[in-house]
Every structure is written in C-alpha cells, then in structure tokens.
Amino acid sequence: MTDLARILDAGLEWLYETVQPDEAHQQHHGITLHLPEANRWYGFSPAGVRNRPVVSVNVFKKEYTFDRDGDSVPANPLKPGELETLADELRRRGFDVDDTWNGNPGTTGSVGLTRPAHPTLVAAVDRYRRGCTVHPKRSVFCDCEHWTAEGRRIVGPNQPAPTP
C-alpha cells in the first residue's frame, strides 16, 4: 500500500466513519495529513463548497520563479494530471465526485465530493460556526477554557504509518 493510499484511507475514514462527541467542535477547513517525501499535504474538509466534503492536494514547500513577463509563478506546481488522478482514486474508492478545481499549473487542487460527511462531524462543524456559547460576542475567536476544551474533544483520524 502506498503512503498516499494510507493518507486517503485515514482522511476518508475520518470524514465518513469517525463518530464525533456531542460536546466537540471542528473548524470547517477540517484536517491535513502530510506526505513530505512527495512535498504534498492533503486536506479533508467536512464542509467545503456547497457545504459538502472537499479533498485537496497541496504543494507543501512552494518554490517560485519568474515567467517571461517577470511575474512570479510556481516553480514546483502540481503535476499535470495530478488532480485528475486524485479524483479518479476517490471514484475508485466509491466516492462520487461533484467537481474539481484549480490543479496544474497551480500549487493546490480540490475535489468536491457529493456524499455528506458523517452526521456527527457535520454537527461538530455547526457547533464551531455557532461560536462560543459562554462568550457569544467572541464567536469562533474565543480563547476561553470552555471553547478550547470543546475543540480538543474532536476525534482525529488514525494517522497513517509511513512505509519503511
């Protein structure tokens, strides 16, 4: 099994199978899992475009160069077809893809999925968007113990073990 397969397994399991506690909140951008040997990180957002899950591939350490016009452009963008390969892998795993955006020649690409994330994860995102109930005027920017404890209660993904 490749490291990317392990990352997708962990991220998709978190999005679709991990039950979240009723007293936890999750920021809507979700979680990231890193694949440093490929200079990539993958994002798993439970509530992205159209409030549906989004899986993204991103260059971890970006480098830039200048084009003929003197504009700064990525020197190490996503590879041609890399985003499409990710979308195909998600389809192969049984997930319907709604849309893709960005990709080469950029440093990030996203795949929107049609199936909603686990209901308890969606509820945790809703609790995040609601903001702190102890200090409502601070909204999601509160730093009180109640709010930070609620954020720490989120159940994270099973971290993929790197291949030797």
Side-chain angles (χ1 to χ4, degrees):
M1 179 178 285
T2 68
D3 286 339
L4 175 56
R6 291 175 197 275
I7 284 174
L8 291 177
D9 286 348
L12 293 168
E13 178 183 16
W14 179 76
L15 278 175
Y16 290 104
E17 298 174 28
T18 303
V19 176
Q20 298 298 335
D22 289 339
E23 62 283 347
H25 71 252
Q26 171 63 50
Q27 204 267 358
H28 63 279
H29 289 137
I31 52 110
T32 60
L33 298 175
H34 296 252
L35 188 55
E37 60 275 10
N39 194 27
R40 298 291 184 263
W41 63 269
Y42 292 82
F44 297 87
S45 169
V49 173
R50 290 187 286 284
N51 231 11
R52 295 295 171 102
V54 174
V55 177
S56 63
V57 55
N58 308 271
V59 174
F60 183 64
K61 292 182 180 178
K62 299 174 185 139
E63 298 172 8
Y64 291 91
T65 189
F66 296 98
D67 66 12
R68 291 182 193 154
D69 298 325
D71 296 323
S72 179
V73 295
N76 60 341
L78 295 179
K79 295 175 184 142
E82 187 172 357
L83 179 60
E84 293 75 15
T85 299
L86 175 60
D88 289 344
E89 180 60 24
L90 292 166
R91 285 185 194 98
R92 189 185 72 72
R93 292 164 173 267
F95 295 92
D96 291 331
V97 171
D98 181 43
D99 199 2
T100 64
W101 55 98
N102 300 328
N104 180 275
T107 59
T108 185
S110 299
V111 179
L113 302 175
T114 59
R115 182 175 146 206
H118 193 282
T120 61
L121 182 55
V122 172
V125 170
D126 290 343
R127 282 189 292 279
Y128 172 81
R129 289 178 172 154
R130 167 208 68 203
C132 181
T133 55
V134 176
H135 306 100
K137 289 184 179 182
R138 295 182 192 171
S139 185
V140 299
F141 303 107
C142 194
D143 61 355
C144 76
E145 179 55 33
H146 170 79
W147 180 247
T148 56
E150 194 174 275
R152 284 191 305 266
R153 289 186 197 110
I154 204 72
V155 178
N158 292 321
Q159 291 292 324
T163 333

